[in-house]
Amino acid sequence: SLSRRSGQAQSPLPQLLAEADHLVYRDGQLHRTASNAAELHADSLPEPEAADSVTALNAAFAGGGLLLKLGRGQHRARPLQVLVAGSAGQTMVHQRHRIELGDNAEATVIFQFAGQGGARLGTQVIDIVLAPGARLNLYRVQDEQAGATLLTRIDARLDRDSHLHAVAVDCGSGLVRHDFNVNLAGPGAETD
């Protein structure tokens, strides 16, 4: 079914994963009805330390995004799907997200970027901090439309014996840039 917002028809959201919790954004705004993990949304996040053109553009326009903080030994039982969906007529979407896992904490996060029609510029900045022994499975799936430009920057700092397993899949879009920066900040830290 189509809904109306700002006088424009919106396409239905892409399929949500049945076995996951969901944080859903449409055109950069939290979609509370479709989100069963809305408590993980933050209206604003601190600017990342890294300074490059993508981060600067994102900082100038970024709205809220995911803020996932797990304390020592906490394990998120279900994966978290963060769906960022764009609509025809929306020309820019800029968001910042942060994942902080305490000592020996574990989580799985799936970022999915999907758009419906039209030219659009998006920046997504994801900051990750893993404390000693923390484990994060991170999946990034991009399926934007041909007229879209998506610039993603992921900055990860891994402390002693922490592990980041990351998978990135790009299916669509006109122009995609994905900067992935990992700081192995302690002995035994690893990423694959």
Side-chain angles (χ1 to χ4, degrees):
S1 66
L2 298 178
S3 62
R4 293 246 173 227
R5 184 171 135 191
S6 304
Q8 294 180 354
Q10 288 183 343
S11 301
L13 290 169
Q15 183 72 31
L16 295 173
L17 300 173
E19 298 300 319
D21 293 325
H22 312 110
L23 191 58
V24 178
Y25 296 94
R26 184 186 288 281
D27 300 331
Q29 301 298 314
L30 178 64
H31 191 302
R32 290 198 181 273
T33 308
S35 298
N36 64 4
E39 71 278 3
L40 298 177
H41 168 77
D43 286 328
S44 64
L45 294 165
E47 291 185 25
E49 294 177 15
D52 70 346
S53 57
V54 173
T55 308
L57 176 63
N58 182 271
F61 297 103
L66 166 69
L67 178 57
L68 175 61
K69 287 186 176 186
L70 295 182
R72 176 187 295 268
Q74 289 185 318
H75 294 236
R76 203 168 160 77
R78 290 165 48 100
L80 174 64
Q81 179 184 13
V82 180
L83 173 62
V84 178
S87 301
Q90 181 68 22
T91 58
M92 290 198 321
V93 174
H94 305 280
Q95 289 183 276
R96 180 171 295 117
H97 310 276
R98 186 164 176 92
I99 300 170
E100 295 178 28
L101 302 186
D103 293 7
N104 300 308
E106 291 186 25
T108 296
V109 179
I110 304 153
F111 281 94
Q112 180 181 356
F113 304 104
Q116 289 107 19
R120 175 175 43 262
L121 170 63
T123 62
Q124 299 285 325
V125 173
I126 303 167
D127 289 318
I128 298 169
V129 178
L130 301 183
R135 299 183 68 78
L136 175 64
N137 295 308
L138 179 69
Y139 300 90
R140 177 190 164 276
V141 180
Q142 177 275 126
D143 193 15
E144 287 280 354
Q145 296 296 310
T149 297
L150 178 63
L151 310 175
T152 305
R153 181 179 175 104
I154 297 175
D155 290 306
R157 183 183 187 283
L158 283 65
D159 210 331
R160 179 182 42 82
D161 297 325
S162 60
H163 183 89
L164 173 62
H165 172 74
V167 176
V169 178
D170 289 299
C171 302
S173 190
L175 174 65
V176 176
R177 176 176 161 179
H178 182 197
D179 294 337
F180 194 77
N181 305 294
V182 178
N183 177 4
L184 301 175
E190 62 181 3
T191 187
D192 63 79

